Amino acid sequence: MVKPYNTLEGSKKDQVQSMFDRIAPRYDLLNRLLSFGIDKIWRRNVVKQLKELKGPMVLDVATGTGDLAVEICKIDPVAVYGLDLSNEMLAFAKEKIFRKKLHMTVQLRQGDSENLPFEDDFFDAITVAFGVRNFENLSKGLEEMHRVLRPGGRLVVLEFSKPKKFPFKQLYHFYFTKILPWWGGLISKDKEAYAYLPASVLQFPEGKEFEEKLRRAGLQPQASLPQTFGIATIYVSTKP
Ligand SMILES: C[S@@+](CC[C@H](N)C(=O)[O-])C[C@H]1O[C@@H](n2cnc3c(N)ncnc32)[C@H](O)[C@@H]1O
């Protein structure tokens, strides 16, 4: 299992939590710089998958600094719950949500995706952006999301994947394994966090393999939508 700090003791979950606590102040800036702003388009594309839902109750798992929760507010949800392990990431989300006057719609909660503090069949939709790769137990996380989703409800996962075609495959590999860790380490002052990012993406199950994980958790994959030459993929699935 790839963990953020290979030289340190502690579970992946503990390490992921302290890594995000540490990089939280620079997280948004780094996202914009390292993805050249494309991450915003990907989150918008996630929300497009929820557009036809009328006044949904939405859970954004691994909400981090709340960018996706804010984007979800554009489809007039009844409520958005944003859940994350890291209190520091949530502190930035809280400030952003107040600044955007969305605090009547978005509720933030510290918690673990592998043990969701919600009733069965509660949400119309669940989203996760760049979160599932960080779960210690991916199957447990997916099963929990299946549990709290209502029958007919929709899960939309956005996660990094690897471009397959020349020359993007080669360019991406060079950027992701050489340039991004260097820049990320310099700006975040946490070299290991930005070495963990490519390492965790390279070992993550993508495409058909991830769809199989969704199936095993009881979900029905509906579509896998590659984004920007396959750098990321949006996985849409439903609870039967
Ligand atoms: C890369 S950030 C993504 C944040 C946000 N979704 C975005 O799109 O920018 C990953 C987030 O997942 C959270 N996370 C990782 N494992 C988690 C878990 N088991 N339960 C809840 N949150 C988790 C981290 O604390 C971190 O804030």
Side-chain angles (χ1 to χ4, degrees), residues 23-54:
I23 65 174
R26 300 271 161 144
Y27 179 81
D28 282 356
L29 171 71
L30 275 160
N31 263 356
R32 292 306 100 78
L33 287 178
L34 297 174
S35 78
F36 306 103
I38 300 170
D39 62 309
K40 285 186 135 188
I41 299 174
W42 297 339
R43 286 193 196 82
R44 243 175 263 152
N45 289 345
V46 167
V47 176
K48 275 189 193 156
Q49 296 301 321
L50 308 178
K51 245 182 172 168
E52 81 267 23
L53 303 178
K54 298 275 171 277

Side-chain angles (χ1 to χ4, degrees), residues 161-165 168-170 172 206 228-231:
S161 46
K162 299 170 281 286
K164 306 282 179 294
K165 289 191 183 143
F168 304 107
K169 181 180 169 181
Q170 286 73 11
Y172 168 83
E206 62 174 74
T228 324
F229 311 116
I231 294 172

Side-chain angles (χ1 to χ4, degrees), residues 5 13-23 190:
Y5 307 107
K13 196 177 293 179
D14 289 345
Q15 290 198 8
V16 162
Q17 186 171 2
S18 51
M19 178 182 77
F20 282 103
D21 277 345
R22 207 176 303 181
I23 65 174
D190 189 333

Side-chain angles (χ1 to χ4, degrees), residues 33-102:
L33 287 178
L34 297 174
S35 78
F36 306 103
I38 300 170
D39 62 309
K40 285 186 135 188
I41 299 174
W42 297 339
R43 286 193 196 82
R44 243 175 263 152
N45 289 345
V46 167
V47 176
K48 275 189 193 156
Q49 296 301 321
L50 308 178
K51 245 182 172 168
E52 81 267 23
L53 303 178
K54 298 275 171 277
M57 176 78 95
V58 186
L59 170 63
D60 182 37
V61 171
T63 198
T65 56
D67 279 351
L68 184 52
V70 166
E71 196 63 36
I72 293 166
C73 289
K74 294 183 180 160
I75 58 163
D76 288 331
V78 163
V80 181
Y81 286 79
L83 177 125
D84 202 280
L85 268 185
S86 160
N87 273 318
E88 291 302 317
M89 293 289 272
L90 286 173
F92 284 92
K94 189 173 175 190
E95 194 268 324
K96 189 179 290 170
I97 281 154
F98 262 92
R99 191 163 18 93
K100 292 180 183 286
K101 300 187 173 58
L102 295 172

